[in-house]
Amino acid sequence: MAKKRVPDWLNSPLWSSPSEQHRFSSAVPEPPEQPPSPPPLTIKQDPPSIQHSRTNHNHNHNAIAIATSSSSSSASTSSADENSHSRQAQSQANLLAELSRKVIDMRELRRIASQGIPDVSGLRSTVWKIFLGYLPPDRGLWSSELAKKRSQYKRFKQEILINPSEITRRMCNSGNYDADEVKCETRGILSRSQITHGEHPLSLGKTSIWNQFFQDTDIIEQIDRDVKRTHPDMPFFCGDSQLAKSNQEALKNILIIFAKLNPGIRYVQGMNEVLAPLFYVFKNDPDEENAVNPQFYAFRWITLLLTQDFSFVDILRIWDTLISDPDGPQETLLRVCCAMLILVRRRLLAGDFTSNLKLLQSYPPTNISHLLHVANKLRVQPV
């Protein structure tokens, strides 16, 4: 039986890609035409040296192409970085110019800030406070507004974050009772007649401070659990350090006060995550009363005599001065610590809370001779 021939139109390039066309045509070949016999050719082999030269030429060409591509890529990256830095510098200049006005143009400030706020110490914090209504557009009112809001929050802490037993004790000491009843103060307890129904720990009255305290306990415990889970990968929020514990306590207090001041909302799980960026930005504002507490870094400097902050060779050089100084090692050590702060002064002023804390806890390598020279300049000159 004769094999059926595939129709010509099926092998048309219109129906297949070049690779598929090759596959089909090789599977079912067309009957070849008889080409004319070519004249005899003499194939000349290239000399090995020429082949080697051409091979090297090809390799050199490829190397040049790769180098050119790499150089072009590096140039593009460098150019992109320069453009990014240029845009940040321009944005920073525009924001500072707008913030320096006596009355800030909110529309213009929003336009500039929408492109991103440079990560410069205090800049983002100030802009956020203005947008959130914490600071007014009029710069002349900033000092008074800050003082008023800080005083208000301090009052909230005193009135809201107080244990009912403390309230009862204050009432006992307020002088509303006669002399005989005030004797309870010396005994450290309250007589039964002094405690009203609303002030009794077992009272279920709606106005009872104790009943309200027990109702708030569940919310406070929830807040405490959530705060401890806030950004566990950031030492700023989590860990056993004094910084993390202090920040957790501050977050907890803020959320409790918010819940008490907003009984219709109270606390909803996840509010700690909403608070975290605000707290982080405002905590890192150098204009706020949030300077890096010396106990976070100086405690180790002083108690261990700088033995964990410099190389062993540098420690020996510092100790030469500590031991030989006529003022004694304690005074000399304090001068050295002050000199350490002076040498990184510019970096501290330009950094935020987190970067400054990291800098001071991991002091950078420095010229010890220069450090001791600066420390000696701090010596009190006799009058």
Side-chain angles (χ1 to χ4, degrees):
M1 185 176 184
K3 185 176 179 180
K4 292 186 178 179
R5 181 173 175 271
V6 177
D8 293 340
W9 59 271
L10 275 180
N11 289 323
S12 172
L14 294 175
W15 313 109
S16 60
S17 64
S19 59
E20 291 173 338
Q21 180 184 358
H22 175 74
R23 178 162 52 87
F24 283 125
S25 61
S26 61
V28 188
E30 291 290 332
E33 298 180 359
Q34 297 297 329
S37 298
L41 295 176
T42 303
I43 300 176
K44 296 182 179 180
Q45 298 291 338
D46 290 332
S49 60
I50 297 179
Q51 288 182 354
H52 180 70
S53 175
R54 288 180 178 176
T55 301
N56 288 343
H57 175 75
N58 291 336
H59 285 310
N60 292 338
H61 179 75
N62 293 336
I64 293 172
I66 293 173
T68 304
S69 175
S70 176
S71 175
S72 176
S73 177
S74 300
S76 300
T77 303
S78 176
S79 177
D81 291 341
E82 291 178 359
N83 291 337
S84 177
H85 291 315
S86 176
R87 286 194 299 269
Q88 289 185 4
Q90 184 63 42
S91 177
Q92 178 180 342
N94 293 338
L95 284 172
L96 291 174
E98 190 59 41
L99 291 175
S100 64
R101 296 176 181 270
K102 186 178 185 306
V103 178
I104 297 171
D105 185 342
M106 294 294 292
R107 183 174 180 179
E108 180 64 15
L109 184 64
R110 292 184 187 279
R111 185 192 67 79
I112 301 171
S114 64
Q115 306 300 319
I117 302 174
D119 193 14
V120 178
S121 182
L123 189 57
R124 176 177 283 114
S125 174
T126 302
V127 174
W128 281 22
K129 287 176 183 177
I130 296 172
F131 288 154
L132 295 173
Y134 189 79
L135 290 177
D138 188 345
R139 284 176 51 89
L141 301 176
W142 282 10
S143 297
S144 60
E145 284 295 314
L146 284 174
K148 182 174 69 175
K149 286 181 168 60
R150 288 169 182 166
S151 175
Q152 184 182 44
Y153 183 71
K154 183 178 180 180
R155 188 173 68 253
F156 285 154
K157 290 178 66 176
Q158 293 173 345
E159 296 176 356
I160 295 177
L161 302 177
I162 188 171
N163 192 290
S165 60
E166 180 64 22
I167 298 177
T168 306
R169 185 176 296 107
R170 289 182 182 181
M171 294 177 65
C172 177
N173 296 334
S174 63
N176 293 332
Y177 309 108
D178 57 34
D180 293 335
E181 292 175 334
V182 172
K183 292 180 182 178
C184 69
E185 209 175 311
T186 61
R187 299 194 302 269
I189 59 175
L190 297 176
S191 63
R192 182 182 297 273
S193 60
Q194 290 176 335
I195 302 177
T196 64
H197 178 73
E199 299 163 5
H200 198 284
L202 300 181
S203 173
L204 298 178
K206 293 182 178 180
T207 60
S208 169
I209 56 176
W210 280 98
N211 185 34
Q212 187 62 47
F213 172 77
F214 290 128
Q215 289 181 4
D216 293 339
T217 300
D218 292 339
I219 295 179
I220 294 174
E221 291 177 352
Q222 179 66 54
I223 291 174
D224 186 62
R225 288 194 297 269
D226 289 350
V227 163
K228 291 179 178 177
R229 292 194 292 257
T230 303
H231 294 286
D233 57 325
M234 295 181 63
F236 181 86
F237 291 107
C238 283
D240 296 328
S241 67
Q242 185 65 31
L243 170 65
K245 291 180 179 179
S246 174
N247 291 338
Q248 287 180 0
E249 186 67 19
L251 290 172
K252 182 179 177 181
N253 290 342
I254 293 171
L255 292 171
I256 292 173
I257 291 175
F258 178 86
K260 296 281 285 184
L261 293 177
N262 299 271
I265 303 175
R266 296 178 72 81
Y267 174 76
V268 179
Q269 189 172 15
M271 284 184 175
N272 59 305
E273 300 292 347
V274 176
L275 174 61
L278 295 173
F279 181 80
Y280 178 83
V281 170
F282 296 157
K283 180 77 173 181
N284 290 326
D285 186 351
D287 295 330
E288 294 289 332
E289 298 174 359
N290 59 8
V292 181
N293 195 314
Q295 67 179 342
F296 294 153
Y297 61 91
F299 182 79
R300 187 184 69 188
W301 289 5
I302 296 173
T303 56
L304 299 181
L305 302 178
L306 301 174
T307 54
Q308 289 192 352
D309 300 281
F310 296 97
S311 68
F312 192 76
V313 175
D314 290 339
I315 292 170
L316 297 180
R317 176 65 185 89
I318 294 173
W319 275 40
D320 287 342
T321 302
L322 295 182
I323 295 174
S324 62
D325 196 292
D327 291 339
Q330 184 174 359
E331 293 295 328
T332 308
L333 176 61
L334 293 179
R335 286 198 298 270
V336 173
C337 292
C338 291
M340 292 169 64
L341 295 175
I342 292 173
L343 293 185
V344 294
R345 176 178 178 272
R346 290 187 178 181
R347 293 177 63 178
L348 291 174
L349 293 176
D352 56 22
F353 183 89
T354 304
S355 62
N356 288 345
L357 182 63
K358 183 178 179 181
L359 173 66
L360 295 174
Q361 289 183 339
S362 301
Y363 197 82
T366 188
N367 187 312
I368 298 301
S369 297
H370 180 61
L371 172 65
L372 295 175
H373 173 74
V374 174
N376 188 57
K377 289 290 186 181
L378 299 176
R379 188 187 302 273
V380 178
Q381 300 297 330
V383 179

